[in-house]
């Protein structure tokens, strides 16, 4: 278990925090840095200076921080203001103090941006720098050459997964083989703060970008927690079909259970899960493919409610264990190929089907 106590004390005591990312940063580093920013920004003064970070950081921050709002102006005094919510919107009521002021010419409406652009600039004072994959103090100094004394008068948290890192910080979270976003998620968990939906989304985006070569025993449980916090897999996707399938993948991850002794993962999808995402059974092949080739699960069983009457629970699975394959083939009627297949359980509800298959496989 990571010991983040020193790092936690540093962050808790900081007043103004500056986050910087290496100029050659990848999606994982962006996800980690911006996930940390959105997790801390409501509790601390946090800055991600435009002139000290890759241009992609400023773009992502602006895109995800900017809000639009209506401003309704009335030139004269009012005696009453109230609003009424409706199913399709809201009505705002202003009662002029003087009846003769009730003239459309005295009302104005405009749309303004509500984005805190100051977080993209360097503060005049800061007492903590959090650096992502900046592996030498000399390189960090170079980012602050316009005010070199500032970097000597603050504390540095150094987060990296590069084995060549010089461990120059007062706190060094340097570990090879783990994504920066996963490390940051573990840090935020230790800080015991609630991870916002935006923070969870960026961290999930960073972790999933690195799964091919950066994966630990904690990765999937962390992904599950981030999905439960509101993070979504379709963060950078706009195509409706992809969003639908990734929404169903989120449901699958939320409901995922692990049988440690059998090294087997089981998840359930109700008819409501399928309906709420606009999905159907034809999307389940996508789910199985992601479980196998994105998360690299060795054995996976997915149970879902069919639409037949009476309701039936069906299953799809794959496994690299011959004993699991043999037991499922022997117990259930289905269509099997190589290391997996589709089968029909003997139960009409998910809870009973799950209990039955666990009893079969343990």
């Amino acid at each position: 278990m990571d010991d983040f106590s020193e790092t936690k004390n540093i962050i808790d005591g900081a007043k103004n925090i500056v986050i910087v990312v290496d100029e050659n940063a990848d999606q994982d580093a962006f996800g980690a840095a911006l996930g940390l920013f959105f997790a801390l920004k409501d509790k601390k003064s946090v800055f991600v200076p435009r002139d000290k970070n890759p241009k992609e950081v400023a773009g992502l921050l602006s895109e995800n921080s900017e809000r639009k709002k209506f401003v309704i102006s009335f030139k004269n005094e009012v005696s009453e203001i109230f609003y009424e919510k409706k199913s399709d919107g809201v009505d705002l009521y202003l009662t002029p103090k003087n009846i003769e002021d009730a003239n459309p010419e005295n009302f104005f409406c405009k749309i303004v941006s509500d984005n805190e652009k100051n977080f993209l600039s360097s503060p005049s004072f800061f007492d903590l720098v959090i650096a992502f994959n900046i592996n030498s103090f000399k390189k960090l100094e170079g980012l602050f050459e316009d005010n070199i004394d500032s970097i000597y008068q603050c504390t540095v948290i150094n987060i990296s997964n590069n084995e060549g890192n010089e461990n120059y910080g007062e706190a060094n979270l340097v570990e090879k083989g783990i994504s920066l976003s996963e490390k940051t998620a573990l840090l935020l968990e230790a800080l015991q703060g609630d991870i916002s939906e935006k923070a969870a989304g960026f961290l999930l985006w960073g972790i999933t970008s690195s799964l091919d070569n950066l994966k630990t025993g904690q990765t999937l449980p962390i992904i599950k927690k981030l999905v439960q916090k509101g993070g979504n897999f379709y963060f950078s996707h706009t195509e409706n079909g992809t969003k639908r399938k990734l929404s169903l993948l989120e449901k699958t991850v939320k409901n995922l259970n692990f049988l440690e002794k059998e090294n087997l993962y089981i998840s359930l999808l109700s008819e409501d899960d399928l309906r709420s995402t606009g999905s159907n059974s034809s999307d389940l092949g996508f789910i199985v493919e992601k479980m196998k080739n994105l998360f690299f699960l060795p054995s996976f069983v997915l149970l879902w409610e069919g639409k037949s009457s009476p309701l039936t629970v069906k299953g799809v699975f794959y496994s690299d264990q011959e004993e699991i394959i043999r037991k499922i083939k022997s117990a259930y009627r289905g269509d099997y190929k190589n290391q997996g297949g589709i089968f029909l359980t003997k139960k009409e509800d998910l809870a009973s089907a799950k209990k039955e298959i666990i009893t079969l496989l343990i």
Side-chain angles (χ1 to χ4, degrees), residues 115-135:
N115 56 338
E116 305 169 60
K117 290 295 186 183
N118 62 311
F119 56 64
L120 288 170
S121 60
S122 294
S124 57
F125 161 79
F126 54 92
D127 52 353
L128 174 60
V129 169
I130 302 177
F132 285 93
N133 254 12
I134 296 176
N135 294 304

Side-chain angles (χ1 to χ4, degrees), residues 282-302:
S282 65
D283 293 324
L284 298 179
F286 173 87
I287 302 301
V288 172
E289 186 274 329
K290 291 300 179 185
M291 288 297 178
K292 185 175 184 178
N293 298 319
L294 178 63
F295 299 131
F296 306 106
L297 303 189
S299 298
F300 174 65
V301 175
L302 177 63

Side-chain angles (χ1 to χ4, degrees), residues 11 20 33 36 40 101 110-111 141 152 249 258 304 309 357:
I11 292 176
V20 290
L36 184 64
L40 296 180
D101 293 329
K110 61 182 177 180
I111 301 175
E141 282 180 312
Y152 303 135
L249 182 61
F258 179 52
W304 79 95
S309 182
I357 200 162

Side-chain angles (χ1 to χ4, degrees), residues 22 131-137 156-169 171-176 180:
D22 181 65
F132 285 93
N133 254 12
I134 296 176
N135 294 304
S136 71
F137 189 68
V156 176
I157 295 174
N158 168 29
I159 303 176
S160 176
N161 53 16
N162 189 311
E163 60 183 346
N165 187 279
E166 294 179 357
N167 291 285
Y168 55 82
N172 296 291
L173 307 182
V174 179
E175 183 179 355
K176 184 183 178 183
L180 298 175

Side-chain angles (χ1 to χ4, degrees), residues 119-344:
F119 56 64
L120 288 170
S121 60
S122 294
S124 57
F125 161 79
F126 54 92
D127 52 353
L128 174 60
V129 169
I130 302 177
F132 285 93
N133 254 12
I134 296 176
N135 294 304
S136 71
F137 189 68
K138 182 177 181 180
K139 195 165 188 178
L140 184 65
E141 282 180 312
L143 296 177
F144 294 87
E145 59 185 0
D146 57 334
N147 183 13
I148 195 66
D149 289 342
S150 64
I151 197 65
Y152 303 135
Q153 297 169 4
C154 71
T155 304
V156 176
I157 295 174
N158 168 29
I159 303 176
S160 176
N161 53 16
N162 189 311
E163 60 183 346
N165 187 279
E166 294 179 357
N167 291 285
Y168 55 82
E170 280 72 24
N172 296 291
L173 307 182
V174 179
E175 183 179 355
K176 184 183 178 183
I178 182 172
S179 75
L180 298 175
S181 296
E182 180 174 336
K183 194 75 171 180
T184 302
L186 291 170
L187 169 61
L188 290 172
E189 196 173 76
L191 291 174
Q192 298 177 332
D194 191 35
I195 299 178
S196 67
E197 184 175 317
K198 278 187 178 177
F202 273 111
L203 293 171
L204 192 60
W205 183 59
I207 290 173
T208 54
S209 73
S210 307
L211 285 174
D212 283 345
N213 49 23
L214 295 173
K215 186 174 180 291
T216 73
Q218 298 171 298
T219 303
L220 192 56
I222 289 171
I223 287 175
K224 182 176 178 177
K225 288 178 183 177
L226 293 174
V227 169
Q228 290 170 338
K229 291 290 185 180
N232 57 65
F233 290 117
Y234 56 80
F235 178 81
S236 60
H237 294 274
T238 57
E239 197 272 316
N240 286 336
T242 302
K243 282 187 175 183
R244 183 190 74 245
K245 293 176 182 179
L246 291 174
S247 294
L248 190 62
L249 182 61
E250 288 168 19
K251 298 280 187 183
T252 306
V253 171
K254 282 182 181 179
N255 299 332
L256 199 61
N257 293 278
F258 179 52
L259 302 183
E260 186 173 3
K261 184 179 178 181
E262 289 73 26
N263 200 21
L264 171 70
Y265 292 82
I266 297 178
S267 189
L268 315 176
L269 288 174
S270 67
E271 187 176 353
D272 186 59
D273 287 330
L274 293 168
R275 188 187 306 111
S276 65
T277 58
S279 302
N280 54 54
S281 58
S282 65
D283 293 324
L284 298 179
F286 173 87
I287 302 301
V288 172
E289 186 274 329
K290 291 300 179 185
M291 288 297 178
K292 185 175 184 178
N293 298 319
L294 178 63
F295 299 131
F296 306 106
L297 303 189
S299 298
F300 174 65
V301 175
L302 177 63
L303 301 174
W304 79 95
E305 291 178 337
K307 293 183 179 180
S308 58
S309 182
L311 193 69
T312 56
V313 175
K314 299 177 181 179
V316 61
F317 85 104
Y318 69 82
S319 178
D320 61 2
Q321 300 179 51
E322 291 186 8
E323 184 64 9
I324 288 177
I325 298 170
R326 183 190 65 78
K327 285 182 177 180
I328 292 178
K329 282 185 174 181
S330 300
Y332 300 113
R333 182 166 51 89
D335 182 17
Y336 301 103
K337 295 179 181 179
N338 300 322
Q339 293 182 301
I342 298 175
F343 59 91
L344 182 66

